[in-house]
mmCIF file with all atom_site columns, all heavy atoms in Angstrom:
data_model
loop_
_atom_site.group_PDB
_atom_site.id
_atom_site.type_symbol
_atom_site.label_atom_id
_atom_site.label_alt_id
_atom_site.label_comp_id
_atom_site.label_asym_id
_atom_site.label_entity_id
_atom_site.label_seq_id
_atom_site.pdbx_PDB_ins_code
_atom_site.Cartn_x
_atom_site.Cartn_y
_atom_site.Cartn_z
_atom_site.occupancy
_atom_site.B_iso_or_equiv
_atom_site.pdbx_formal_charge
_atom_site.auth_seq_id
_atom_site.auth_comp_id
_atom_site.auth_asym_id
_atom_site.auth_atom_id
_atom_site.pdbx_PDB_model_num
ATOM 1  N N   . GLU A 1 138 ? 128.575 90.874 83.824 1.00 0.00 ? 138 GLU A N   1
ATOM 2  C CA  . GLU A 1 138 ? 127.415 90.315 83.129 1.00 0.00 ? 138 GLU A CA  1
ATOM 3  C C   . GLU A 1 138 ? 126.798 89.266 84.076 1.00 0.00 ? 138 GLU A C   1
ATOM 4  O O   . GLU A 1 138 ? 127.450 88.312 84.469 1.00 0.00 ? 138 GLU A O   1
ATOM 5  C CB  . GLU A 1 138 ? 127.749 89.635 81.825 1.00 0.00 ? 138 GLU A CB  1
ATOM 6  C CG  . GLU A 1 138 ? 126.551 89.166 81.072 1.00 0.00 ? 138 GLU A CG  1
ATOM 7  C CD  . GLU A 1 138 ? 126.908 88.534 79.750 1.00 0.00 ? 138 GLU A CD  1
ATOM 8  O OE1 . GLU A 1 138 ? 128.017 88.688 79.223 1.00 0.00 ? 138 GLU A OE1 1
ATOM 9  O OE2 . GLU A 1 138 ? 126.013 87.799 79.201 1.00 0.00 ? 138 GLU A OE2 1
ATOM 10 N N   . ILE A 1 139 ? 125.539 89.472 84.508 1.00 0.00 ? 139 ILE A N   1
ATOM 11 C CA  . ILE A 1 139 ? 124.925 88.605 85.476 1.00 0.00 ? 139 ILE A CA  1
ATOM 12 C C   . ILE A 1 139 ? 124.059 87.554 84.702 1.00 0.00 ? 139 ILE A C   1
ATOM 13 O O   . ILE A 1 139 ? 123.232 87.940 83.885 1.00 0.00 ? 139 ILE A O   1
ATOM 14 C CB  . ILE A 1 139 ? 124.150 89.365 86.551 1.00 0.00 ? 139 ILE A CB  1
ATOM 15 C CG1 . ILE A 1 139 ? 125.157 90.074 87.420 1.00 0.00 ? 139 ILE A CG1 1
ATOM 16 C CG2 . ILE A 1 139 ? 123.270 88.470 87.369 1.00 0.00 ? 139 ILE A CG2 1
ATOM 17 C CD1 . ILE A 1 139 ? 124.584 91.264 88.211 1.00 0.00 ? 139 ILE A CD1 1
ATOM 18 N N   . ILE A 1 140 ? 124.275 86.321 85.017 1.00 0.00 ? 140 ILE A N   1
ATOM 19 C CA  . ILE A 1 140 ? 123.528 85.227 84.422 1.00 0.00 ? 140 ILE A CA  1
ATOM 20 C C   . ILE A 1 140 ? 122.686 84.528 85.480 1.00 0.00 ? 140 ILE A C   1
ATOM 21 O O   . ILE A 1 140 ? 123.233 83.971 86.411 1.00 0.00 ? 140 ILE A O   1
ATOM 22 C CB  . ILE A 1 140 ? 124.477 84.187 83.705 1.00 0.00 ? 140 ILE A CB  1
ATOM 23 C CG1 . ILE A 1 140 ? 125.337 84.889 82.697 1.00 0.00 ? 140 ILE A CG1 1
ATOM 24 C CG2 . ILE A 1 140 ? 123.658 83.074 83.115 1.00 0.00 ? 140 ILE A CG2 1
ATOM 25 C CD1 . ILE A 1 140 ? 126.450 84.053 82.130 1.00 0.00 ? 140 ILE A CD1 1
ATOM 26 N N   . LYS A 1 141 ? 121.356 84.556 85.304 1.00 0.00 ? 141 LYS A N   1
ATOM 27 C CA  . LYS A 1 141 ? 120.486 83.985 86.321 1.00 0.00 ? 141 LYS A CA  1
ATOM 28 C C   . LYS A 1 141 ? 120.361 82.450 86.079 1.00 0.00 ? 141 LYS A C   1
ATOM 29 O O   . LYS A 1 141 ? 120.048 81.989 85.027 1.00 0.00 ? 141 LYS A O   1
ATOM 30 C CB  . LYS A 1 141 ? 119.109 84.631 86.197 1.00 0.00 ? 141 LYS A CB  1
ATOM 31 C CG  . LYS A 1 141 ? 117.978 83.858 86.770 1.00 0.00 ? 141 LYS A CG  1
ATOM 32 C CD  . LYS A 1 141 ? 117.632 84.170 88.196 1.00 0.00 ? 141 LYS A CD  1
ATOM 33 C CE  . LYS A 1 141 ? 116.834 83.124 88.800 1.00 0.00 ? 141 LYS A CE  1
ATOM 34 N NZ  . LYS A 1 141 ? 115.699 83.365 89.559 1.00 0.00 ? 141 LYS A NZ  1
ATOM 35 N N   . LEU A 1 142 ? 120.628 81.744 87.179 1.00 0.00 ? 142 LEU A N   1
ATOM 36 C CA  . LEU A 1 142 ? 120.414 80.281 87.206 1.00 0.00 ? 142 LEU A CA  1
ATOM 37 C C   . LEU A 1 142 ? 119.369 79.942 88.262 1.00 0.00 ? 142 LEU A C   1
ATOM 38 O O   . LEU A 1 142 ? 119.066 80.755 89.103 1.00 0.00 ? 142 LEU A O   1
ATOM 39 C CB  . LEU A 1 142 ? 121.710 79.536 87.431 1.00 0.00 ? 142 LEU A CB  1
ATOM 40 C CG  . LEU A 1 142 ? 122.762 79.556 86.332 1.00 0.00 ? 142 LEU A CG  1
ATOM 41 C CD1 . LEU A 1 142 ? 124.017 78.834 86.813 1.00 0.00 ? 142 LEU A CD1 1
ATOM 42 C CD2 . LEU A 1 142 ? 122.246 78.928 85.048 1.00 0.00 ? 142 LEU A CD2 1
ATOM 43 N N   . ASN A 1 143 ? 118.957 78.660 88.293 1.00 0.00 ? 143 ASN A N   1
ATOM 44 C CA  . ASN A 1 143 ? 117.929 78.256 89.240 1.00 0.00 ? 143 ASN A CA  1
ATOM 45 C C   . ASN A 1 143 ? 118.375 77.226 90.277 1.00 0.00 ? 143 ASN A C   1
ATOM 46 O O   . ASN A 1 143 ? 117.566 76.767 91.063 1.00 0.00 ? 143 ASN A O   1
ATOM 47 C CB  . ASN A 1 143 ? 116.694 77.808 88.500 1.00 0.00 ? 143 ASN A CB  1
ATOM 48 C CG  . ASN A 1 143 ? 116.095 78.933 87.722 1.00 0.00 ? 143 ASN A CG  1
ATOM 49 O OD1 . ASN A 1 143 ? 115.611 79.963 88.265 1.00 0.00 ? 143 ASN A OD1 1
ATOM 50 N ND2 . ASN A 1 143 ? 116.100 78.831 86.422 1.00 0.00 ? 143 ASN A ND2 1
ATOM 51 N N   . GLY A 1 144 ? 119.641 76.804 90.177 1.00 0.00 ? 144 GLY A N   1
ATOM 52 C CA  . GLY A 1 144 ? 120.124 75.846 91.152 1.00 0.00 ? 144 GLY A CA  1
ATOM 53 C C   . GLY A 1 144 ? 121.450 75.233 90.683 1.00 0.00 ? 144 GLY A C   1
ATOM 54 O O   . GLY A 1 144 ? 121.899 75.560 89.538 1.00 0.00 ? 144 GLY A O   1
ATOM 55 N N   . SER A 1 145 ? 122.073 74.452 91.561 1.00 0.00 ? 145 SER A N   1
ATOM 56 C CA  . SER A 1 145 ? 123.393 73.876 91.284 1.00 0.00 ? 145 SER A CA  1
ATOM 57 C C   . SER A 1 145 ? 124.264 74.901 90.602 1.00 0.00 ? 145 SER A C   1
ATOM 58 O O   . SER A 1 145 ? 124.968 74.590 89.603 1.00 0.00 ? 145 SER A O   1
ATOM 59 C CB  . SER A 1 145 ? 123.235 72.645 90.421 1.00 0.00 ? 145 SER A CB  1
ATOM 60 O OG  . SER A 1 145 ? 122.414 71.706 91.045 1.00 0.00 ? 145 SER A OG  1
ATOM 61 N N   . VAL A 1 146 ? 124.389 76.073 91.142 1.00 0.00 ? 146 VAL A N   1
ATOM 62 C CA  . VAL A 1 146 ? 125.082 77.210 90.590 1.00 0.00 ? 146 VAL A CA  1
ATOM 63 C C   . VAL A 1 146 ? 126.613 76.922 90.426 1.00 0.00 ? 146 VAL A C   1
ATOM 64 O O   . VAL A 1 146 ? 127.267 77.414 89.564 1.00 0.00 ? 146 VAL A O   1
ATOM 65 C CB  . VAL A 1 146 ? 124.782 78.480 91.407 1.00 0.00 ? 146 VAL A CB  1
ATOM 66 C CG1 . VAL A 1 146 ? 125.562 79.665 90.857 1.00 0.00 ? 146 VAL A CG1 1
ATOM 67 C CG2 . VAL A 1 146 ? 123.338 78.786 91.422 1.00 0.00 ? 146 VAL A CG2 1
#
Side-chain angles (χ1 to χ4, degrees):
E138 184 179 345
I139 291 163
I140 302 171
K141 159 92 198 227
L142 288 178
N143 296 297
S145 303
V146 178

